[in-house]
Amino acid sequence: MPEPRKIIIDTDPGQDDAVAILLALGSPELEILGITAVAGNVPLKLTEKNARKICELAGRPDIKVYAGAIRPLVRELVTAEEVHGKTGLNGPELPEPAMKLQEQHAVDYLVETLMREEAGTITLCPLGPLTNIALAMIREPRIAPRIKEIVLMGGGFFEGGNVTPSAEFNIYVDPHAADVVLRSGVPIVMMPLDVTHKALTTTKRIDAFRKLGTKVGIATTQMLEFFERYDEGKYGTDGGPLHDPCVIAYLLKPSLFQGRFCNVTVEIASELTMGMTVVDWWGVSNRPKNATVMRDIDHDGFFELLVERLGRL
Ligand code: RIB
Ligand code: CA
């Protein structure tokens, strides 16, 4: 097997973040150098704790978890307890983590690691607001050309928004950070709502996790049954979109996804469309292409991969 791909997951767990982290931990093709927590779905003191809870659920207390930004670059923090519950990880009863949070700030960890490791060998996997990534790029601009790729969950275009009619949550919470990352010149793969809304946690699919019968399978079932209820109520669907694991699934099996290299520009001026990701899908502007925007997914293949990998934990 080739050398595992080195990744850093930046996250705001969040049940879907949790499943993404579990997918990465169940996949030997990936080496998680560290997990950096950011304020998003719930405040930072919960997202960093939830990240540690998930590592322990997977039997991986060795994974290094770092706490990062407590709020967006400019705007006030907006959270999503209505979706994820008060703890951010409602559903399973997971014990308080015994593993320690790393002392180093996540932004310092990102800069130090990217400056130390061989250029072009680290992939960043942001699953929440992009505050930590933008802060690291501003703190040390030399890291941008050293990043192999950024594969992120965020944005939406044909599907509209999920927190306002035009903006998706991760981008809406910190549109200024998204603007820094989108202008960074780093190769970006974007998993917007246009693709994640096609990956629904239907009853049949949740039963497949339940049938694993393992601690991880049962906890995942409980997380997804809590997580999906908000979107089921909103969209009237069987199941809710499983956003963040699309990022990790892309690293494992890119053929599951189809998309197009386009320009993506984020709105940071108008309150009406704040955080909207304007995707120039038809190439009608002369704005430079800066991201591969995914729009289609083999959703059966996606869930088969998820169940198989989580079954290994
Ligand atoms: O809009 C969906 C995104 O916002 C996901 O990353 C979810 O975890 C929340 O952070
Ligand atoms: Ca997230």
Side-chain angles (χ1 to χ4, degrees):
M1 188 170 89
E3 276 290 295
R5 184 166 179 169
K6 292 185 163 81
I7 68 171
I8 295 173
I9 298 176
D10 189 73
T11 178
D12 63 336
Q15 290 87 351
D16 60 324
D17 302 68
V19 177
I21 293 167
L22 292 171
L23 177 57
L25 290 170
S27 301
E29 303 92 321
L30 304 175
E31 179 190 354
I32 301 180
L33 298 181
I35 294 178
T36 51
V38 67
N41 286 321
V42 286
L44 179 69
K45 65 180 186 314
L46 287 172
T47 59
E48 65 85 356
K49 185 190 323 185
N50 291 340
R52 289 186 285 146
K53 285 185 174 182
I54 292 302
C55 290
E56 290 191 340
L57 171 66
R60 293 296 305 275
D62 58 298
I63 296 287
K64 294 188 173 7
V65 175
Y66 302 82
I70 199 158
R71 51 149 297 181
L73 295 186
V74 175
R75 292 170 67 85
E76 290 302 311
L77 178 62
V78 170
T79 53
E81 286 84 351
E82 71 282 5
V83 179
H84 298 270
K86 210 165 49 62
T87 71
L89 213 50
N90 283 39
E93 283 304 316
L94 296 176
E96 287 298 293
M99 66 185 275
K100 292 279 169 270
L101 176 69
Q102 297 300 304
E103 289 291 315
Q104 189 177 28
H105 191 282
V107 173
D108 294 334
Y109 166 73
L110 284 164
V111 169
E112 182 191 277
T113 307
L114 285 163
M115 293 306 287
R116 182 191 65 240
E117 296 288 323
E118 187 191 339
T121 59
I122 295 179
T123 299
L124 301 185
C125 303
L127 309 177
L130 291 160
T131 318
N132 286 341
I133 313 300
L135 281 171
M137 289 179 171
I138 294 166
R139 187 173 174 322
E140 181 45 86
R142 288 180 297 168
I143 65 169
R146 300 178 65 87
I147 299 168
K148 176 184 174 67
E149 192 171 44
I150 294 177
V151 185
L152 65 89
M153 191 279 142
F157 188 59
F158 300 97
E159 192 68 7
N162 60 0
V163 68
T164 72
S166 52
E168 176 278 328
F169 179 80
N170 288 340
I171 309 300
Y172 178 75
V173 168
D174 199 340
H176 301 90
D179 189 47
V180 168
V181 173
L182 285 167
R183 293 178 188 278
S184 67
V186 176
I188 294 173
V189 174
M190 181 174 148
M191 293 286 169
L193 299 179
D194 309 282
V195 71
T196 66
H197 277 197
K198 295 174 182 172
L200 297 182
T201 58
T202 61
T203 312
K204 188 161 155 275
R205 286 166 174 167
I206 290 192
D207 280 345
F209 291 108
R210 196 192 322 278
K211 286 196 185 92
L212 288 173
T214 58
K215 207 165 58 128
V216 166
I218 290 158
T220 298
T221 305
Q222 292 167 333
M223 282 194 279
L224 295 184
E225 284 179 336
F226 182 90
F227 176 61
E228 70 177 6
R229 83 212 187 293
Y230 182 84
D231 285 325
E232 281 185 324
K234 180 175 173 182
Y235 300 113
T237 46
D238 171 17
L242 192 52
H243 308 285
D244 293 339
C246 289
V247 167
I248 306 301
Y250 173 78
L251 297 178
L252 298 170
K253 203 173 177 188
S255 60
L256 289 172
F257 299 91
Q258 282 80 41
R260 185 181 291 187
F261 189 46
C262 318
N263 173 268
V264 180
T265 302
V266 58
E267 176 60 68
I268 54 172
S270 149
E271 260 317 313
L272 175 64
T273 53
M274 181 62 70
M276 177 177 184
T277 47
V278 179
V279 176
D280 185 2
W281 186 261
W282 302 111
V284 296
S285 79
N286 55 8
R287 292 193 290 261
K289 297 179 179 178
N290 57 347
T292 299
V293 179
M294 294 303 178
R295 199 171 168 193
D296 283 306
I297 179 174
D298 165 4
H299 41 79
D300 286 331
F302 171 66
F303 278 94
E304 276 158 31
L305 176 68
L306 263 177
V307 171
E308 192 272 319
R309 292 301 166 98
L310 267 60
R312 300 186 185 193
L313 296 172

